[in-house]
Amino acid sequence: MNIFQLARANVRALEPYQSARRIGGKGSIWLNANEYPQPTFYMPRSGNLNRYPDCQPKGIINSYASYAGVQPNQVLACRGADEGIELMIRAFCEPGQDAILFCPPTYGMYRVSAETFGVECRTVPALDNWQLDLPEIYTRLNGVKLVYICSPNNPTGNIINLSDTRKLLEMTDGRTLLVADEAYIDFCPVASLASLLTDYPHLVILRTLSKAFALAGLRCGFVLANADVIELLLKVIAPYPLSLPVADIAEQALSAEGLRQTSQRIAEINSNRNFLISELAKCPCVCVVFPSVSNYLLVCFDPAYHVFQTLWDQGTILRDQSKQTGLSDCLRITIGTRLECQSLVVALKALTLSPTLP
Ligand SMILES: *Cc1c(COP(=O)(O)O)cnc(C)c1O
């Protein structure tokens, strides 16, 4: 029996997300997954695991609501922003009928989640400055239930203009939800759309503890939206999405002391980013460093493949973005420790002295 033939057609055709972990590599400097470069030292405090956890632990919901400046009934806790992406599709998209729309180059999981459920992906490439092509989005909105935007955008690093986002919110009012992926917003909190939730019932915001909170291994994220959306998502989420140890550590990370440590990390990463930007400008193999408000830089090289491969062989692992729409010769570099930034720069400067491969 061919088990493969029994799978749903869209699952057979599915190209899975190429996560940094799946791609692998043998490295000492990991700059490919936008993780924080050093561990945190939280430990779960509660030992008793014989009882099920709360579906939505109050402590976490209240702390995150106050951190994000929204009401507790506007917060859903889930297993990373990735689960938020999927819950939205599960709750709102009719397979084979509704579509989602997003604007490449951007994060890869919108496509994977939609295809898993047999939901059409419609793409409207971003403009040359990585902003939204609003007229084109407008003409392609028919049948679209969810528009995903990513701000700061992964992998380009830019914020989507607030005035464009407002226009998109007006344009989608009453027929489409706008899902703003703010996985990196903690590095640039003034750009958050959270304060717009009150005015726009169809706005949904995705957040995570994986990036600035340095807890990618924890698997904890949040959906911010109005109470009606949260209520619908609670119908489709697993009964116990967060294990007790996860909930306990998330609560510590959101305590006053946890938030203080996070803001320290953000200041450090932002300073390392500015250091790396100025050093990259001195590397002859670098063509363009795109401005970024986030914990990574998109960099165009001459040629990217040579840079990627040479550093890979040396144990410095970057993320190849050259297959993405409009990103030929681009690599994405996560901002690591100051020491990691320095050794990256040394490697890049040395590399320009070696002959270019054919
Ligand atoms: C990392 C990332 C996510 C996923 O975050 P998790 O909370 O770890 O699932 C979602 N969106 C973007 C844009 C990301 O870069």
Side-chain angles (χ1 to χ4, degrees):
M1 186 173 74
N2 186 345
I3 295 289
F4 194 77
Q5 290 307 316
L6 297 178
R8 288 156 59 216
N10 55 312
V11 173
R12 272 179 281 156
L14 182 70
E15 199 184 303
Y17 180 68
Q18 287 295 315
S19 68
R21 282 295 168 282
R22 277 199 200 201
I23 294 168
K26 275 210 189 70
S28 49
I29 302 187
W30 294 94
L31 305 178
N32 65 341
N34 294 348
E35 296 148 332
Y36 184 71
Q38 286 167 317
T40 54
F41 294 99
Y42 302 113
M43 294 293 281
R45 294 162 301 192
S46 56
N48 288 347
L49 298 180
N50 59 314
R51 303 289 180 193
Y52 284 113
D54 286 335
C55 176
Q56 295 290 299
K58 281 214 168 47
I60 303 176
I61 297 296
N62 291 338
S63 310
Y64 202 84
S66 107
Y67 170 71
V70 300
Q71 296 304 311
N73 68 357
Q74 296 176 309
V75 179
L76 177 95
C78 55
R79 289 164 287 196
D82 280 346
E83 188 178 40
I85 293 169
E86 192 192 285
L87 289 172
M88 286 302 297
I89 294 173
R90 270 163 57 187
F92 288 97
C93 295
E94 206 68 74
Q97 185 179 320
D98 297 332
I100 70 161
L101 187 151
F102 53 91
C103 304
T106 192
Y107 186 54
M109 279 303 291
Y110 316 133
R111 174 190 66 79
V112 173
S113 285
E115 287 181 355
T116 303
F117 289 100
V119 167
E120 181 198 332
C121 290
R122 219 170 280 171
T123 56
V124 175
L127 302 171
D128 288 345
N129 60 0
W130 312 131
Q131 293 296 326
L132 302 173
D133 186 347
L134 288 174
E136 191 61 25
I137 292 175
Y138 184 70
T139 65
R140 308 209 53 203
L141 271 183
N142 225 352
V144 171
K145 271 286 177 62
L146 307 172
V147 173
Y148 284 87
I149 62 171
C150 187
S151 181
N153 187 41
N154 178 0
T156 54
N158 63 289
I159 292 285
I160 305 293
N161 292 334
L162 181 59
S163 60
D164 286 355
T165 304
R166 279 184 182 276
K167 282 181 202 150
L168 188 55
L169 280 165
E170 299 295 337
M171 188 189 286
T172 49
D173 197 2
R175 52 176 186 162
T176 302
L177 285 99
L178 178 62
V179 185
D181 186 339
E182 294 191 348
Y184 300 96
I185 203 68
D186 315 280
F187 295 101
C188 183
V190 292
S192 175
L193 302 178
S195 64
L196 297 182
L197 283 175
T198 332
D199 292 340
Y200 297 100
H202 60 301
L203 173 62
V204 177
I205 296 171
L206 306 178
R207 297 284 193 88
T208 180
L209 299 186
S210 295
K211 308 289 164 49
F213 283 83
L215 291 170
L218 189 66
R219 311 309 302 130
C220 183
F222 298 91
V223 179
L224 310 180
N226 287 295
D228 293 346
V229 173
I230 300 294
E231 200 178 305
L232 284 159
L233 296 181
L234 281 170
K235 295 178 83 166
V236 299
I237 198 170
Y240 312 107
L242 307 184
S243 73
L244 282 166
V246 167
D248 190 36
I249 289 172
E251 195 168 325
Q252 296 175 50
L254 294 168
S255 69
E257 171 58 18
L259 293 177
R260 195 190 59 74
Q261 288 174 15
T262 291
S263 67
Q264 248 173 17
R265 276 192 298 272
I266 291 168
E268 175 209 346
I269 293 293
N270 286 346
S271 141
N272 289 355
R273 183 184 65 232
N274 294 337
F275 167 78
L276 191 58
I277 289 172
S278 65
E279 289 300 310
L280 287 173
K282 303 174 199 160
C283 297
C285 64
V286 170
C287 300
V288 186
V289 181
F290 292 97
S292 168
V293 296
S294 197
N295 69 336
Y296 52 87
L297 291 173
L298 184 72
V299 182
C300 185
F301 288 95
D302 178 24
Y305 180 77
H306 177 51
V307 176
F308 180 80
Q309 196 58 48
T310 310
L311 268 70
W312 173 284
D313 294 342
Q314 294 170 1
T316 296
I317 312 298
L318 310 180
R319 189 60 165 260
D320 184 8
Q321 297 288 344
S322 60
K323 309 271 178 319
Q324 278 233 53
T325 312
L327 299 189
S328 51
D329 274 322
C330 287
L331 305 178
R332 193 193 67 197
I333 305 174
T334 302
I335 309 300
T337 61
R338 183 59 69 105
L339 221 63
E340 289 174 330
C341 293
Q342 282 162 343
S343 48
L344 172 71
V345 169
V346 169
L348 288 175
K349 284 180 178 164
L351 182 138
T352 57
L353 303 173
S354 55
T356 310
L357 293 180

